[in-house]
């Protein structure tokens, strides 16, 4: 079953294939039938034309009896073909093409046949080729193609009627094109292709005297032929049998042979204009000039062939030598059209073959473009074309850097890039009027050049970043001053050892350029004094020390600008070293393939022959020796060359000196040079050629001014010889360092040109180019050219009109609203600040000044530093009808057209603006002027400068901050009112706070500069800006609040130093804004108390807080902040800030503004702080909840107790002072607080010395002061109440004294001076006992009781013992008898 199914499938497949084959056969037969019908139609048409009577043929020229001849020869062939075409036994593709082409070709070649018949035969042949009845695979198709070419060649082009002849010529052109366009064209031989081109050119010549249409068609046809031929060049393999190394062009298929011949023929057309009368008589239209026609053909061939030309030496050699020489020769003295075409040809050669045309390109720029563009001798149109050509080259992305690398960095060549760049700057620099076309073109080229430099730098940086090769110091070597040459190297001939390593290669190039610059400096020294010049060369390591002959020879030979007279004198000197230099000097010349006069011209171009005959002889002997070494076998020895050289110089003088009346003839010259070649004559033809050359072209003996700028044959031969040994052409993909050096060369004139053009420009395109130029310079300057970027910003800020000191706000607002350029400049300023702020330095001051001006105009974005834009701008009548007139007669132009113009420019300029801000473009439909301006300002993205400041370089950030500080302080500002000054200071400090907040992680990298700037401001003469000081205090406190979260001790200490520095500028400001400062300080303590790490920081912040103790408005906030800080539940009081907090607590509790409750509350907190001291001592002096370092916790016990004791003493001394306040409640509470402090101090383990100090300076002092106050009040009139109040406090104090005495009795008793201490206690008791405080007897009642307590305690501790050697007992008894005798018996019974 399976087998049956398989057999059935195979059968169906076979049937299907059979059907397909039948269809193909049928389709083939149909095609063959169609071809037969077409050929039959053409045969019939041709026969019909041939049968027409002479009267019916307008161009008939039949000879009598010709009908029979036609019938028997031409017509029989056509009839036979008609019979054949319907009886062929094979398809048309297999038929020999000669069978059906021959009848038509015979008609074409027949001389005595009417023009219409020839035209019909040509049309039939064209149709056969177009239908591609045969191709390269058809048998005998090669012979058929050559038959067609032969027939066209033998066709008689001139007949009687011009109209009929024009038709035939047009048909011939079509047939020539069809021959090369058909598939069988590959079978044509080189000679056949050359014949086709030659025939086409004959038609071009014939068309010169005919109609314009035929002329244009003939040229277009030849143009198309050239394109088709050279399109085949990439397919021709180098080294193939068609390489044309021989003269045999009968090869089977056409190739490089015919292409070489055709190209040579086309190049020859450049010189044929003066020789062919027909061409010179042609009308002077652009496409009818022979030179332009030749250049168009050359350009087409180069465009089509492209880089493939470089694979074929013979074709390449023709371009390198003959073509380029003719281009340079014609270019320097040509019409604008020819010059334009020449520039196009060279541009194509540059794009395709520049690696093989290095010196030729330099010569073209030097002798054609730069020479004409300088505008000294040529017409304005030629200058314009030359500038346009240079701009076309500048548009090539790699042109600038390749010119700089290959020529400017090579001491042997001219500075092509530098000359082009500076020339464009010079020609673009505007006069007082509008820009001319040359200036506009030059400016465009300059901008393009700058843009390519910027693109190259960014591309290089991007590639390095992608490959992780970009280092932080990558641009550190940009400055050429960093190059140091410590020894001589043969830089004239030195080669880079590692061209594959970009860094090595770039460094090599930069060193060579540096040496070249030093050479130019040495020129001035040498021209002034030869000896000093040579000393400079040795000092600059341009020659070795001692000098070598070769290095000096290269210096004299290749350094431009040297005094040629001095060179000649140096070379002619008889000194032995000078003779070595002369020999090396002549060895730098290559005289191969030169005749003697060309070599001599080339040699004498480099210096001026000295006047002394002996020097001339030495120089010519050296030249003769060199020429003889490189010449052919014509000369027997160098003496023959030497004699002939002298003869040529004499001939030159004879022929071109006006004082010589009788000129030497050719025969006389030949006669004078007989037998000079080793006793034999030189060839007569050679001498004749020399005579004619000297007679027609003088040998120029150059003077000091320099030399000829014309391209001479000798100079060209020298260039060709040098090109064979020159360094390879270097291709550059963009090297940041080289681009940097390139821009540094043209930076000065380029920026001056940009600024001046922008100032004078009115055309939108020029203005847009200016902005592109400014931004391109900024893109370059961001890489270690900060001074350039600052200069650009300074220029742009000037153009904004915002910094005009003589303009009012109204005038500035009007200018910014009505003029496009100020708005574009403003947009550019802030765009550069956003994009390249990292590299801005001093010009931040200009940017800040613009920013402040916009603030005064109420044009800043609402969110910038809290600025509110709701306040309307200065009132100006800008919402006027179109061209409305004010009262003063000033006509305001329409703002709508300006906005539309600005929108158009912004569309182009906006491509560079950050795409992160997708703002709506400026709309002309916005009716409100202020709103429209705000939209424009929004495009500036001003807030981005500060919000993205974390990406700024440290130097840039420092300069921005200092600019804000100086502006806020009024430096360079013109305030209109005190309110304006205050708003400006506040605005600047808001921005500084924003900057600091965004860069808080690197605070120490920029704030020291801010601090120094504040110090500078404080020292400014006549500075006394209270608004600035006030806003500075607020600003620094705001910075402090943000800093304390992340700050280390150094940062914290610095910010508080800045705070104190501002405070010292004007301390009165602190009192005026105390409430706000207290509020900020309280918030800082509330949120960041635990983050303050330094004592200086605590001292500063508490000092500000303490100011509120004397301010009624701020007192409550201050005291609440302190209470919160010292509360037990907040562990913010540490040994670092303990004493500071106590001092602040004293100021609040003792303040007259404090309520009794608050003072008592503060006193209680002071008393409770003793618990902290006890805790610190018991825990090893660590601060729970503080940030103290671990090393502090490891202090010795003695130091810990001493430190704690010091803190305690400060505490009780502060409370002692409060005990003297006027309010009794607070005074009494202070005494009780002091009592509490001493009670809690038992755990502090005071030494006897500390205890004694506390009694002497605290307790005794308190008691003495209270007693003094009480006595003072008692002596005043009407002060009984105050006296009683003070007496009550004194009683409390004495009770506290007694209790403290008993508490520390054991410790005090161990003091060696206890006796004196005890006498002091008794003396104070006695004083209080005997002091009369009015009618009160409280003290007299209290004192005996207190004495009793103390004496009993002393007895109890066996301190006071009745013994013979106890002097204390006797003294005490005596004092008690004096103070309180009533208790004597009770205390000392029986004594």
């Amino acid at each position: 079953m399976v087998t049956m199914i398989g057999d059935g499938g195979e059968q169906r497949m076979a049937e299907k294939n059979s059907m397909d084959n039948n269809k193909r056969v049928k389709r083939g037969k149909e095609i063959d039938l169609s071809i037969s019908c077409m050929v039959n139609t053409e045969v019939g048409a041709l026969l019909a034309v041939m049968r027409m009577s002479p009267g019916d043929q307008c161009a008939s020229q039949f000879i009598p009896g010709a009908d029979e001849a036609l019938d028997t020869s031409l017509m029989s062939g056509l009839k036979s073909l008609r019979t054949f075409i319907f009886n062929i036994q094979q398809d048309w593709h297999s038929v020999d093409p000669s069978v059906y082409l021959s009848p038509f070709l015979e008609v074409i070649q027949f001389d005595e046949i009417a023009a219409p018949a020839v035209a019909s035969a040509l049309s039939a042949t064209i149709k056969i080729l177009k239908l591609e009845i045969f191709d390269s695979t058809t048998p005998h198709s090669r012979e058929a193609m050559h038959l067609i070419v032969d027939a066209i060649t033998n066709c008689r082009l001139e007949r009687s009627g011009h109209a009929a002849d024009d038709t035939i010529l047009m048909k011939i052109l079509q047939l020539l094109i069809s021959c090369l366009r058909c598939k069988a064209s590959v079978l044509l031989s080189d000679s056949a292709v050359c014949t086709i081109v030659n025939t086409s050119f004959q038609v071009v010549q014939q068309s010169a005297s005919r109609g314009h249409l035929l002329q244009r068609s003939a040229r277009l046809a030849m143009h198309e032929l050239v394109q088709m031929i050279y399109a085949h060049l990439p397919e021709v393999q180098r080294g193939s049998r068609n390489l044309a190394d021989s003269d045999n062009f009968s090869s089977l298929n056409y190739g490089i042979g015919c292409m070489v011949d055709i190209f040579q023929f086309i190049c020859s057309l450049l010189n044929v204009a003066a020789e062919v009368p027909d061409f010179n008589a042609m009308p002077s239209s652009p496409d009818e000039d022979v030179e332009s026609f030749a250049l168009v053909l050359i350009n087409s061939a180069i465009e089509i062939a492209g880089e493939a030309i470089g694979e074929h030496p013979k074709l390449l050699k023709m371009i390198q030598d003959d073509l380029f020489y003719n281009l340079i020769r014609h270019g320097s003295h040509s019409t604008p059209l020819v010059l334009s075409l020449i520039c196009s040809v060279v541009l194509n050669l540059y794009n395709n073959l520049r690696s093989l045309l290095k010196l030729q390109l330099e010569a073209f720029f030097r002798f054609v473009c730069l020479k004409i563009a300088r505008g000294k001798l040529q017409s304005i149109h030629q200058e314009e074309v030359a500038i346009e050509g240079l701009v076309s080259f500048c548009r090539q992305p790699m042109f600038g850097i390749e010119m700089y690398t290959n020529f400017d960095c090579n001491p042997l060549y001219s500075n092509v890039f530098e000359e082009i760049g500076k020339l464009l700057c010079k020609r673009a620099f505007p006069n007082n009027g509008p820009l001319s076309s040359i200036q506009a073109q030059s400016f465009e080229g300059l901008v393009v050049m700058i843009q390519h430099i910027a693109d190259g730098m960014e591309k290089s940086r991007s590639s390095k970043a992608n490959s992780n090769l970009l280092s932080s110091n990558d641009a550190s070597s940009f400055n050429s001053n960093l190059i140091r040459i410590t020894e001589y190297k043969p830089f004239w001939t030195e080669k880079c050892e590692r061209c594959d390593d970009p860094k090595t290669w770039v460094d090599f190039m930069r060193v060579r350029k540096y040496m070249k610059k030093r050479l130019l400096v040495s020129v001035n020294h040498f021209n002034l004094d030869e000896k000093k010049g040579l000393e400079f060369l040795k000092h600059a390591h341009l020659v070795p020390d001692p000098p070598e002959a070769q290095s000096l020879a290269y210096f004299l030979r290749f350094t431009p600008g040297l005094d040629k007279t001095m060179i000649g004198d140096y070379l002619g000197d008889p000194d032995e070293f000078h003779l070595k230099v002369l020999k090396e000097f002549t060895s730098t010349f290559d005289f191969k393939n030169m005749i003697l006069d060309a070599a001599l011209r080339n040699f004498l171009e480099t210096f001026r022959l000295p006047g002394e005959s002996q020097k001339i002889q030495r120089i010519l002997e050296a030249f003769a020796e060199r020429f003889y070494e490189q010449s052919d076998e014509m000369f027997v020895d160098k003496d023959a060359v030497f004699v002939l050289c002298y003869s040529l110089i004499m001939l030159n003088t004879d022929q071109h000196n006006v004082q010589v009346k009788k000129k030497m003839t050719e025969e006389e010259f030949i006669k004078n040079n007989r037998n000079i070649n080793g006793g034999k004559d030189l060839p007569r033809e050679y001498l004749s050629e020399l005579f004619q050359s000297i007679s027609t072209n003088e040998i120029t003996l150059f003077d000091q001014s320099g030399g000829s700028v014309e391209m001479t044959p000798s100079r060209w031969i020298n260039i060709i010889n040098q090109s064979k040994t020159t360094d390879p052409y270097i291709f550059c993909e963009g090297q940041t360092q080289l681009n940097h050096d390139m821009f540094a060369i043209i930076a000065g004139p380029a920026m001056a040109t940009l600024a001046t053009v922008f100032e004078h420009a009115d055309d939108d395109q020029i203005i847009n180019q200016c902005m592109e130029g400014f931004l391109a310079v900024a893109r370059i300057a961001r890489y270690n050219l900060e001074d350039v970027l600052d200069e650009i910003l300074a220029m742009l800020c000037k153009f904004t009109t915002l910094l005009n000191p003589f303009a009012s706000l109204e005038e500035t607002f009007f200018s910014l609203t009505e003029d496009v350029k100020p708005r574009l400049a403003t947009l550019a300023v802030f765009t550069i600040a956003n994009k390249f702020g990292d590299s801005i330095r001093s010009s931040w001051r200009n940017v800040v000044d613009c920013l402040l001006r916009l603030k005064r105009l109420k044009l800043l974005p609402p969110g910038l530093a809290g600025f509110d834009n709701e306040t309307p701008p200065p009132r100006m009548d800008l919402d006027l009808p179109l061209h409305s007139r004010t009262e003063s007669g000033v006509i305001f132009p329409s703002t709508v057209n300006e906005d539309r113009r600005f929108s158009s420019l912004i569309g182009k300029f906006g491509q560079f603006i950050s795409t992160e801000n997708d703002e709506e473009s400026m709309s002309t439909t916005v009716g409100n002027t202020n709103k429209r301006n705000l939209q424009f300002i929004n495009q500036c993205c001003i807030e981005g400068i500060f919000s993205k400041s974390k990406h700024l370089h440290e130097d840039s950030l420092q300069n921005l901050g200092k600019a804000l500080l100086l502006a806020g302080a009024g430096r360079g500002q013109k305030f209109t009112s005190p309110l304006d000054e205050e708003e400006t200071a506040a605005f600047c400090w808001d921005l500084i706070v924003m900057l600091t907040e965004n860069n808080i992680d690197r605070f120490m990298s920029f704030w020291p500069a801010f601090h120094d700037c504040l110090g500078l401001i404080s020292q400014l003469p006549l500075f006394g800006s209270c608004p600035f000081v006030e806003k500075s205090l607020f600003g620094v406190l705001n910075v402090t609040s943000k800093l304390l979260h992340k700050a280390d001790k150094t940062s914290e200490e610095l910010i508080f130093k800045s705070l104190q520095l501002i405070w010292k500028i004007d301390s009165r400001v602190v009192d005026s804004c105390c409430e706000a400062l207290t509020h900020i300080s309280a918030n800082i303590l509330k949120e960041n108390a635990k983050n303050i790490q330094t004592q200086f920081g605590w001292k500063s912040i508490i000092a500000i807080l303490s100011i509120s103790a004397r301010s009624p408005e701020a007192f409550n906030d201050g005291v609440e902040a302190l209470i919160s800080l010292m509360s037990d539940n907040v562990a913010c009081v540490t040994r670092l800030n303990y004493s500071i907090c106590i001092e602040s607590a004293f100021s609040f509790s003792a303040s007259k503004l404090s309520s009794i409750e608050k003072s008592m509350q503060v006193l209680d907190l002071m008393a409770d702080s003793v618990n902290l001291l006890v805790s610190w001592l018991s825990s090893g002096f660590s601060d729970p909840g503080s940030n103290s370092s671990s090393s502090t916790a490891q202090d010795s016990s003695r130091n810990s107790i001493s430190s704690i004791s010091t803190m305690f003493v400060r505490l009780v001394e502060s409370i002692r002072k409060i005990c003297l306040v006027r309010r009794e409640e607070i005074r009494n509470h202070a005494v009780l607080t002091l009592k509490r402090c001493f009670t809690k101090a038992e755990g502090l383990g005071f030494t006897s010395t500390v205890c004694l100090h506390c009694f002497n300076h605290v307790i005794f002092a308190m008691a003495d002061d209270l007693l003094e106050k009480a006595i003072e009040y008692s002596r005043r009139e009407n002060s009984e109440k105050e006296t009683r109040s003070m007496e009550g406090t004194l009683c409390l104090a004495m009770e506290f004294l007694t209790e403290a005495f008993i508490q520390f009795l054991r410790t005090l008793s161990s003091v060696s001076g206890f006796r004196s201490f005890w006498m002091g206690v008794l003396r104070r008791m006695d004083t209080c006992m005997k002091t009369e405080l009015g009618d009160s007897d409280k003290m007299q009642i209290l004192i005996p009781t207190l004495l009793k307590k103390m004496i009993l305690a002393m007895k109890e501790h066996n301190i006071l013992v009745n013994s013979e050697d106890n002097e204390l007992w006797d003294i005490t008894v005596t004092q008690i008898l004096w103070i309180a005798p009533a208790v004597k018996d009770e205390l000392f019974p029986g004594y």
Side-chain angles (χ1 to χ4, degrees), residues 612-625:
E612 187 178 341
S613 60
Q614 292 181 345
K615 291 185 177 181
I616 295 175
Q617 179 179 350
R618 282 188 285 270
I619 293 174
L620 290 182
E621 284 177 349
F623 167 78
E625 181 178 358

mmCIF file of all heavy atoms in Angstrom, residues 612-625:
data_model
loop_
_atom_site.group_PDB
_atom_site.id
_atom_site.type_symbol
_atom_site.label_atom_id
_atom_site.label_comp_id
_atom_site.label_asym_id
_atom_site.label_seq_id
_atom_site.Cartn_x
_atom_site.Cartn_y
_atom_site.Cartn_z
ATOM 1 N N GLU A 612 80.041 87.759 -2.150
ATOM 2 C CA GLU A 612 81.453 87.427 -2.270
ATOM 3 C C GLU A 612 81.629 86.214 -3.175
ATOM 4 O O GLU A 612 80.971 85.183 -3.001
ATOM 5 C CB GLU A 612 82.030 87.160 -0.878
ATOM 6 C CG GLU A 612 83.535 86.981 -0.871
ATOM 7 C CD GLU A 612 84.061 86.774 0.539
ATOM 8 O OE1 GLU A 612 83.334 87.120 1.499
ATOM 9 O OE2 GLU A 612 85.188 86.271 0.683
ATOM 10 N N SER A 613 82.552 86.330 -4.127
ATOM 11 C CA SER A 613 82.717 85.279 -5.124
ATOM 12 C C SER A 613 83.193 83.965 -4.517
ATOM 13 O O SER A 613 82.797 82.880 -4.968
ATOM 14 C CB SER A 613 83.703 85.745 -6.197
ATOM 15 O OG SER A 613 84.977 86.029 -5.612
ATOM 16 N N GLN A 614 84.053 84.039 -3.518
ATOM 17 C CA GLN A 614 84.553 82.806 -2.907
ATOM 18 C C GLN A 614 83.427 82.046 -2.207
ATOM 19 O O GLN A 614 83.387 80.812 -2.237
ATOM 20 C CB GLN A 614 85.673 83.134 -1.926
ATOM 21 C CG GLN A 614 86.934 83.654 -2.599
ATOM 22 C CD GLN A 614 88.040 83.949 -1.604
ATOM 23 O OE1 GLN A 614 87.783 84.022 -0.402
ATOM 24 N NE2 GLN A 614 89.265 84.137 -2.102
ATOM 25 N N LYS A 615 82.535 82.774 -1.560
ATOM 26 C CA LYS A 615 81.385 82.125 -0.917
ATOM 27 C C LYS A 615 80.473 81.485 -1.960
ATOM 28 O O LYS A 615 79.971 80.372 -1.764
ATOM 29 C CB LYS A 615 80.602 83.134 -0.079
ATOM 30 C CG LYS A 615 81.335 83.618 1.167
ATOM 31 C CD LYS A 615 80.445 84.513 2.012
ATOM 32 C CE LYS A 615 81.153 84.929 3.295
ATOM 33 N NZ LYS A 615 80.295 85.777 4.161
ATOM 34 N N ILE A 616 80.268 82.201 -3.057
ATOM 35 C CA ILE A 616 79.444 81.634 -4.127
ATOM 36 C C ILE A 616 80.068 80.354 -4.650
ATOM 37 O O ILE A 616 79.386 79.352 -4.908
ATOM 38 C CB ILE A 616 79.261 82.661 -5.256
ATOM 39 C CG1 ILE A 616 78.471 83.875 -4.749
ATOM 40 C CG2 ILE A 616 78.556 82.030 -6.449
ATOM 41 C CD1 ILE A 616 78.341 84.978 -5.768
ATOM 42 N N GLN A 617 81.386 80.377 -4.806
ATOM 43 C CA GLN A 617 82.080 79.196 -5.324
ATOM 44 C C GLN A 617 81.894 78.003 -4.402
ATOM 45 O O GLN A 617 81.608 76.892 -4.864
ATOM 46 C CB GLN A 617 83.569 79.509 -5.497
ATOM 47 C CG GLN A 617 84.378 78.317 -6.024
ATOM 48 C CD GLN A 617 85.840 78.666 -6.213
ATOM 49 O OE1 GLN A 617 86.234 79.824 -6.134
ATOM 50 N NE2 GLN A 617 86.649 77.655 -6.470
ATOM 51 N N ARG A 618 82.050 78.204 -3.087
ATOM 52 C CA ARG A 618 81.897 77.096 -2.144
ATOM 53 C C ARG A 618 80.473 76.532 -2.194
ATOM 54 O O ARG A 618 80.265 75.324 -2.139
ATOM 55 C CB ARG A 618 82.246 77.562 -0.730
ATOM 56 C CG ARG A 618 83.738 77.657 -0.473
ATOM 57 C CD ARG A 618 84.020 77.928 0.983
ATOM 58 N NE ARG A 618 83.748 79.304 1.339
ATOM 59 C CZ ARG A 618 84.633 80.300 1.272
ATOM 60 N NH1 ARG A 618 85.855 80.048 0.840
ATOM 61 N NH2 ARG A 618 84.305 81.520 1.624
ATOM 62 N N ILE A 619 79.502 77.420 -2.277
ATOM 63 C CA ILE A 619 78.115 76.965 -2.299
ATOM 64 C C ILE A 619 77.816 76.193 -3.576
ATOM 65 O O ILE A 619 77.193 75.118 -3.554
ATOM 66 C CB ILE A 619 77.163 78.166 -2.145
ATOM 67 C CG1 ILE A 619 77.310 78.770 -0.740
ATOM 68 C CG2 ILE A 619 75.716 77.758 -2.393
ATOM 69 C CD1 ILE A 619 76.520 80.050 -0.536
ATOM 70 N N LEU A 620 78.269 76.724 -4.711
ATOM 71 C CA LEU A 620 78.001 76.047 -5.983
ATOM 72 C C LEU A 620 78.755 74.726 -6.092
ATOM 73 O O LEU A 620 78.273 73.777 -6.719
ATOM 74 C CB LEU A 620 78.358 76.963 -7.149
ATOM 75 C CG LEU A 620 77.432 78.169 -7.343
ATOM 76 C CD1 LEU A 620 77.861 78.979 -8.561
ATOM 77 C CD2 LEU A 620 75.978 77.733 -7.494
ATOM 78 N N GLU A 621 79.935 74.654 -5.494
ATOM 79 C CA GLU A 621 80.664 73.382 -5.489
ATOM 80 C C GLU A 621 79.874 72.321 -4.722
ATOM 81 O O GLU A 621 79.779 71.161 -5.166
ATOM 82 C CB GLU A 621 82.039 73.579 -4.860
ATOM 83 C CG GLU A 621 83.033 74.272 -5.775
ATOM 84 C CD GLU A 621 84.362 74.503 -5.080
ATOM 85 O OE1 GLU A 621 84.419 74.306 -3.842
ATOM 86 O OE2 GLU A 621 85.341 74.894 -5.755
ATOM 87 N N ALA A 622 79.313 72.714 -3.586
ATOM 88 C CA ALA A 622 78.501 71.755 -2.827
ATOM 89 C C ALA A 622 77.268 71.340 -3.619
ATOM 90 O O ALA A 622 76.881 70.164 -3.638
ATOM 91 C CB ALA A 622 78.105 72.364 -1.487
ATOM 92 N N PHE A 623 76.646 72.318 -4.296
ATOM 93 C CA PHE A 623 75.472 71.996 -5.111
ATOM 94 C C PHE A 623 75.845 71.061 -6.255
ATOM 95 O O PHE A 623 75.144 70.085 -6.553
ATOM 96 C CB PHE A 623 74.861 73.280 -5.661
ATOM 97 C CG PHE A 623 73.858 73.043 -6.749
ATOM 98 C CD1 PHE A 623 72.563 72.630 -6.442
ATOM 99 C CD2 PHE A 623 74.196 73.204 -8.085
ATOM 100 C CE1 PHE A 623 71.640 72.395 -7.453
ATOM 101 C CE2 PHE A 623 73.276 72.973 -9.090
ATOM 102 C CZ PHE A 623 71.994 72.569 -8.768
ATOM 103 N N ALA A 624 76.952 71.343 -6.925
ATOM 104 C CA ALA A 624 77.382 70.529 -8.062
ATOM 105 C C ALA A 624 77.652 69.096 -7.630
ATOM 106 O O ALA A 624 77.304 68.141 -8.336
ATOM 107 C CB ALA A 624 78.616 71.152 -8.690
ATOM 108 N N GLU A 625 78.262 68.953 -6.484
ATOM 109 C CA GLU A 625 78.558 67.601 -5.994
ATOM 110 C C GLU A 625 77.266 66.829 -5.735
ATOM 111 O O GLU A 625 77.138 65.653 -6.102
ATOM 112 C CB GLU A 625 79.388 67.688 -4.720
ATOM 113 C CG GLU A 625 79.775 66.331 -4.152
ATOM 114 C CD GLU A 625 80.633 66.460 -2.908
ATOM 115 O OE1 GLU A 625 80.966 67.606 -2.513
ATOM 116 O OE2 GLU A 625 80.967 65.418 -2.310
#
